[in-house]
Each structure stands twice: as structure tokens, then as C-alpha cells.
């Protein structure tokens, strides 16, 4: 029965658990059964009588809704959980507890597992065998497993900025709405699923509460390959860190819709701001403004900014003077006004199927002598060259090889494009590697790496410039020269 309208369920993952499943289920406290809405037992294609035991137990507790699912194909530990949480959401549960059919985690603590969720203090609750010093070893955890657990947890905490006592317990309770908001369907089907879900919860800012649980090691069969598991979980943490720095496109790592502001000394957006800094108050069109963070800084320089993007990021209208929801790739038929002093295309044209059309449209929106400012990643940079030459070419979460890029530009192809659009280059600047994403420089410090990179960019931009930033003006085919003609005053006769 629901508690204050909150529907609670227990999902039991089981594989070849015929000798332990019934006793594990019997250990669910009687008073807690009365609070449960459903028990979902998932037999992951066992070769024994696990399903028969699950069905027999379900028949003996008619006062509790019990769903028994038998997979015809083994989905793996992670795959079984995915199926469990999808079914829990489908059946309208609000809180779900993960229980293992081998009895390794104490069903007697189910009330304590859900308590923080019921009072709104947590989005996830983890049972930890490491919270009480010495408890894990006293409960029979082998020394090598205890040591591996401690080492891996310490490393994971350090890399993720967390302070969990244990990453590797399988006793978990979740708010189903939290599970629905993270990309579980892309997680591993193996045992590192549990680590990936921690990373996803931390990344989403959800609250995790730990409670102490007893450690129990019996004669159950362990299907975990320890060395492979250690490699997988550290790979997951490293993969997450790299994705957050822009490398790789792992689908299990969430991606925000807003395009990040590129801040820092010498970044493309700081160069654009510098180009606008000394201008008198101007009317500026920011095409592809994303969340309006760059536009907000442009406004602080005293300019009037009209923002345009294909999606509306929450808060963007507060950061621009005027916002238009418009798909640049589909054509700019919407009336955006005219006579802009400048049109900004900051990291935009590489996302368009036909950037020439957009550049020509930008020219049409300018006042006479108005300017177009664009920033574009350099595909001729050594990083994509090295990836391609080594046969390891692939897309990244951001940067030059951003997986949303439809076009790649070298310096030569970019200059050819702007000439075709009828634009002349007034100023060309280059940015270096975005070292701020991967390196903490420290306030007031400039690293040797940054100095070397800046020198290389200056020496050979086509190879070392990370981005090109161009200030452009429409080309004028003919010029009018003002001619002054002075006529000598007549003195009464011909000269």
C-alpha cells in the first residue's frame, strides 16, 4: 500500500539463485511488506529453477503484488537493472529498491533504505559496507576485495569530487523520477553499470545518502571478474572526465543543450568581446546565441543585442534585448530587422549545412559599413590531423571535432567561403588550445604549456591555431573618390 501516495517497489535481480531466492524474499520484514506496492523479480535467463521458486513464493503471498519476469536471453547485470527500472517506471512506482536474489544484502534493512527518500532528504540511497570501520572484514570480505574496494573508491572520489564511503555496493534505492531523467539505456550491461549510475547521479546534481549495512559473504557464486571490473570502472570515470572536457561522445554521459561560453585568455569569445569593446553603442545581431551568455557580456559593453537560435535555452530572454526562435539552417525568413552594426556568428557556421547562405543573409541585415564577426574551429589543427593520420578519427563532445559539426574548415577553405559571401577580411585573429578545460592555471599564472602554444600559434596559425576569429565587411566593387575642383576667379581677361 502507498505511503502518503508514494508507491514503493522492490526489484530483485536474480541469476541461478534457486538456493537463495526464497530465503532472501522471506527476510523482507513483515511490517515493510505492508508498505510495499509491488515486488518485481527478474530472472536473467537462469539455467536452474530460479523462476519456479519466484513463482512459488509469489503464490504464497497473495496480499502483495508480485511480478515475475523471466528473460529468454541473459541481459547481464546492468541489462537486468535497465529492464527492472523501465518496468518500475511503467508500473507507476515512485521509489524502487534494488535487492539481490543471492541474499548478499540484508532485506531486513529495506525500511532504512527507503526512509531518506520518503522524507525528501535524498534522490538515491546507497547501502555502504565501509561506513563502520572494520565491519566489512568482520563480515567476511576477503582482504583482496576489501583493499580493491578501498583503492578504487578513493580514486573515484578524487576524480569525481565526491566523498562516498563506497562505490561498489549493490544495495541501492532510487527515486524513479531521478532514474527517468538520466540516460540509463546507454549504460553498460555489465557490472560497471552501478558505477555509471553513480556518475550520472552526481553529474545531474542529485542527492546521495549512504547508510551502513552489514557485510555478508556466503557460498554464493561470484560472477564478477575482479580485474576486468576494476578496469571497467576506472575507464568509466576517465571516460566521464574526458567527455566533460569535450573529448569523446559517450552516450551514457548527459549532454547539455546549451553551447558553452568559451571564456579565458585568448578564447574565441573573449576575442569577439575584445573586437566589440571600443565600439560606440551598436545594434548587434547574435546568430546562434545559445543561452545568451556571450550576448549578456556584449550587452554589458553597452550594446543592444538581438539573439537568434533554433532552441530556446531557459533564461536566454533575460540575457538579450530581444530573442527570435529561428532555424538558421532552414532559412532566415523571419523578420529580424535590418541596419545592424554587427552580426556575430560565434562557432555557428560549422553547424550549418549551407553556411554560405547564412553568411549572405547576414550581409543583407547589415547597415552600410556594418561588420560580420565569425569564429570557426580549425580543422587543420594538429589534433584532428593526428587523429586522422593515426586512423583514430572520431567525433568529440565539443571542440574541433564536435559531433554536431556538419562542416570542417581550414584557414584556406574559410577564407574562400567568406570571399564567396562577398566579404573582405578586416582583421584575423587566432586562438590557442583551450587549456583552461584541462589544466588549472592558478590565478595570475601563465603555464609554460600556454606560452609554448601561443608561440606556435603565432608562428604557424594553419597548423596550431585552435580557432580562427575574423572581422569582416561587405566587399565594395567600386569606390567613389571625392574630387575637389577649384576655379580661379576671373580677373577680367582670359588666363
Amino acid at each position: 500500500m502507498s505511503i502518503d501516495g508514494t508507491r514503493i517497489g522492490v526489484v530483485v535481480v536474480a541469476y541461478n539463485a534457486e538456493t537463495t531466492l526464497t530465503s532472501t524474499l522471506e527476510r523482507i520484514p513483515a511490517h515493510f511488506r505492508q508498505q510495499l506496492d509491488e515486488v518485481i523479480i527478474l530472472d536473467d535467463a537462469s539455467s536452474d529453477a530460479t523462476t519456479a521458486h519466484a513463482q512459488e513464493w509469489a503464490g504464497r503471498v497473495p496480499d502483495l503484488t508480485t511480478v515475475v519476469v523471466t528473460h529468454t536471453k541473459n541481459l547481464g547485470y546492468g541489462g537486468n537493472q535497465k529492464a527492472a527500472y523501465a518496468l518500475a517506471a511503467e508500473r507507476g512506482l515512485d521509489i524502487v529498491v534494488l535487492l539481490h536474489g543471492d541474499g548478499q544484502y540484508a532485506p531486513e534493512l529495506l525500511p532504512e533504505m527507503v526512509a531518506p527518500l520518503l522524507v525528501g532528504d535524498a534522490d538515491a540511497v546507497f547501502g555502504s559496507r565501509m561506513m563502520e570501520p572494520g565491519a566489512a572484514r568482520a563480515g567476511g570480505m576477503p582482504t583482496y576485495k576489501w583493499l580493491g574496494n578501498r583503492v578504487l573508491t578513493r580514486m573515484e572520489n578524487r576524480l569525481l569530487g565526491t566523498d562516498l564511503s563506497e562505490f561498489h555496493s549493490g544495495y541501492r534505492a532510487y527515486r524513479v523520477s531521478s532514474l527517468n531523467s538520466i540516460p540509463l539505456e546507454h549504460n553498460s550491461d555489465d557490472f560497471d553499470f552501478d558505477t555509471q549510475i553513480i556518475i550520472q547521479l552526481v553529474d545531474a546534481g542529485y542527492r546521495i545518502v549512504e547508510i551502513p549495512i552489514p557485510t555478508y559473504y556466503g557460498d554464493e557464486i561470484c560472477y564478477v571478474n575482479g580485474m576486468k571490473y576494476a578496469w571497467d570502472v576506472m575507464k568509466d570515470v576517465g571516460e566521464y572526465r574526458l567527455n566533460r572536457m569535450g573529448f569523446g561522445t559517450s552516450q551514457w554521459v548527459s549532454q547539455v543543450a546549451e553551447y558553452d561560453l568559451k571564456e579565458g585568455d585568448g578564447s574565441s569569445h573573449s576575442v569577439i568581446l575584445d573586437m566589440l569593446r571600443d565600439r560606440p553603442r551598436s545594434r548587434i545581431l547574435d546568430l546562434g546565441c545559445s543561452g545568451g551568455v556571450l550576448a549578456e557580456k556584449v550587452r554589458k559593453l553597452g550594446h543592444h543585442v538581438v539573439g537568434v537560435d533554433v532552441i530556446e535555452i531557459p533564461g536566454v530572454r533575460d540575457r538579450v534585448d530581444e530573442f527570435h526562435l529561428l532555424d538558421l539552417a532552414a532559412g532566415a525568413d523571419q523578420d529580424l530587422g535590418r541596419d545592424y552594426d554587427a552580426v556575430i556568428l560565434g562557432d555557428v557556421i560549422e553547424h550549418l549545412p549551407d553556411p554560405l547562405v547564412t553568411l549572405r543573409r547576414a550581409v543583407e541585415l547589415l547597415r552600410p559599413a556594418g561588420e560580420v564577426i565569425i569564429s570557426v574551429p580549425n580543422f587543420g589543427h594538429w589534433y584532428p590531423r593526428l587523429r586522422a593520420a593515426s586512423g583514430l578519427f572520431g567525433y568529440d563532445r565539443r571542440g574541433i571535432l564536435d559531433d554536431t559539426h556538419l562542416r570542417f574548415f581550414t584557414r584556406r577553405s574559410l577564407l574562400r567561403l567568406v570571399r564567396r559571401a562577398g566579404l573582405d577580411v578586416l582583421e584575423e585573429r587566432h586562438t590557442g588550445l583551450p587549456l583552461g578545460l584541462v589544466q588549472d592555471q592558478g590565478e595570475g599564472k601563465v603555464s609554460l604549456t600556454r606560452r609554448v602554444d601561443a608561440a606556435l600559434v603565432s608562428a604557424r596559425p594553419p597548423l596550431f591555431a585552435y580557432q580562427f576569429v575574423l572581422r569582416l565587411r561587405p566587399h565594395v566593387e567600386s569606390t567613389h573618390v571625392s574630387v575637389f575642383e577649384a576655379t580661379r576667379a576671373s580677373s577680367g581677361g582670359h588666363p
Side-chain angles (χ1 to χ4, degrees):
M1 58 181 293
S2 301
I3 300 178
D4 296 330
T6 301
R7 302 189 72 239
I8 304 172
V10 173
V11 296
V12 184
V13 291
Y15 177 67
N16 288 344
E18 65 176 5
T19 62
T20 57
L21 179 60
T22 300
S23 61
T24 298
L25 294 169
E26 291 289 349
R27 290 165 58 192
I28 298 175
H31 72 279
F32 187 69
R33 286 189 194 178
Q34 297 175 5
Q35 301 175 15
L36 285 176
D37 287 271
E38 290 189 6
V39 171
I40 302 174
I41 305 171
L42 299 99
D43 177 2
D44 198 20
S46 297
S47 58
D48 62 6
T50 295
T51 290
H53 282 266
Q55 292 172 343
E56 188 273 334
W57 183 84
R60 289 194 286 108
V61 285
D63 58 328
L64 177 61
T65 299
T66 302
V67 179
V68 179
V69 177
T70 305
H71 298 145
T72 57
K73 173 185 176 183
N74 185 273
L75 302 181
Y77 174 72
N80 204 6
Q81 285 194 62
K82 293 179 197 178
Y85 301 141
L87 187 56
E90 180 183 320
R91 297 183 68 84
L93 296 177
D94 300 301
I95 292 174
V96 64
V97 189
L98 173 68
L99 188 63
H100 289 211
D102 60 8
Q104 184 177 358
Y105 300 106
E108 293 82 2
L109 292 181
L110 282 168
E112 287 80 0
M113 289 292 292
V114 302
L117 296 165
L118 286 172
V119 298
D121 290 340
D123 300 295
V125 178
F126 295 168
S128 171
R129 298 165 293 184
M130 302 293 179
M131 288 185 73
E132 296 180 351
R137 294 288 293 119
M141 181 180 288
T143 301
Y144 75 94
K145 287 194 174 184
W146 179 87
L147 183 61
N149 190 312
R150 301 308 300 145
V151 170
L152 287 174
T153 293
R154 182 183 293 271
M155 294 174 67
E156 288 164 318
N157 275 324
R158 183 175 182 83
L159 289 170
L160 295 174
T162 51
D163 190 27
L164 296 175
S165 64
E166 182 180 10
F167 269 73
H168 309 290
S169 163
Y171 207 3
R172 311 280 182 91
Y174 301 104
R175 196 175 303 282
V176 175
S177 60
S178 300
L179 294 178
N180 289 342
S181 70
I182 57 181
L184 290 181
E185 68 276 11
H186 298 300
N187 285 16
S188 167
D189 290 333
D190 213 333
F191 289 97
D192 59 321
F193 174 93
D194 282 347
T195 295
Q196 291 181 341
I197 202 172
I198 293 177
I199 295 172
Q200 290 168 325
L201 291 169
V202 170
D203 182 63
Y206 286 124
R207 299 163 299 168
I208 299 174
V209 170
E210 292 182 287
I211 66 166
I213 60 172
T215 302
Y216 169 76
Y217 273 85
D219 57 0
E220 71 277 354
I221 299 174
C222 179
Y223 295 97
V224 183
N225 181 324
M227 294 301 294
K228 179 180 183 302
Y229 174 75
W231 166 261
D232 286 343
V233 298
M234 291 312 301
K235 176 181 67 67
D236 290 337
V237 175
E239 195 172 281
Y240 169 74
R241 287 291 302 271
L242 286 172
N243 271 257
R244 278 290 166 259
M245 289 188 293
F247 302 104
T249 55
S250 301
Q251 290 183 299
W252 66 272
V253 180
S254 297
Q255 183 168 6
V256 296
E258 182 173 359
Y259 205 71
D260 295 334
L261 176 71
K262 295 178 174 60
E263 294 188 288
D265 184 27
S267 70
S268 61
H269 288 167
S270 65
V271 171
I272 291 172
L273 289 170
D274 190 54
M275 288 178 169
L276 297 170
R277 194 174 310 281
D278 296 326
R279 298 174 69 101
R281 177 176 170 80
S282 302
R283 188 164 176 264
I284 293 175
L285 179 65
D286 186 359
L287 292 177
C289 66
S290 190
V293 184
L294 174 62
E296 184 177 41
K297 292 183 177 293
V298 173
R299 289 179 72 197
K300 288 181 179 179
L301 297 177
H303 304 301
H304 179 93
V305 182
V306 177
V308 174
D309 212 308
V310 66
I311 57 175
E312 182 172 343
I313 302 293
V316 65
R317 293 183 186 270
D318 297 326
R319 301 186 183 110
V320 297
D321 294 289
E322 183 182 333
F323 178 76
H324 294 266
L325 191 63
L326 178 66
D327 185 357
L328 296 177
D333 295 330
Q334 184 174 334
D335 183 15
L336 301 175
R338 290 182 178 272
D339 294 329
Y340 288 97
D341 297 288
V343 175
I344 299 174
L345 287 154
D347 305 331
V348 169
I349 66 172
E350 62 271 20
H351 298 271
L352 304 175
D354 194 345
L356 179 60
V357 171
T358 300
L359 280 176
R360 286 175 173 168
R361 175 61 171 153
V363 171
E364 295 173 357
L365 298 174
L366 292 173
R367 67 167 178 80
E371 298 178 2
V372 176
I373 299 175
I374 65 172
S375 60
V376 181
N378 172 27
F379 189 68
H381 186 269
W382 62 264
Y383 170 67
R385 289 194 194 196
L386 183 62
R387 290 279 296 271
S390 64
L392 298 176
F393 179 84
Y395 290 97
D396 289 327
R397 184 58 62 92
R398 67 178 78 177
I400 299 172
L401 299 179
D402 187 317
D403 64 342
T404 63
H405 290 178
L406 301 180
R407 296 288 184 126
F408 292 123
F409 293 96
T410 63
R411 181 176 181 273
R412 180 174 296 179
S413 64
L414 176 61
L415 295 178
R416 185 165 59 244
L417 174 70
V418 299
R419 283 195 298 268
R420 290 181 62 198
L423 293 160
D424 294 330
V425 178
L426 298 179
E427 184 179 6
E428 177 182 340
R429 297 198 202 177
H430 317 111
T431 73
L433 287 167
L435 296 173
L437 292 174
V438 296
Q439 184 179 23
D440 183 9
Q441 302 295 326
E443 187 174 352
K445 296 181 180 179
V446 179
S447 71
L448 176 62
T449 304
R450 188 179 292 280
R451 290 178 182 273
V452 170
D453 183 58
L456 292 172
V457 170
S458 177
R460 194 174 178 191
L463 180 60
F464 294 103
Y466 193 76
Q467 284 188 298
F468 301 116
V469 186
L470 304 181
R471 189 163 62 90
L472 310 165
R473 181 170 292 170
H475 179 70
V476 180
E477 292 293 343
S478 60
T479 59
H480 298 279
V481 179
S482 177
V483 178
F484 175 75
E485 180 178 347
T487 303
R488 180 179 299 173
S490 175
S491 58
H494 297 284

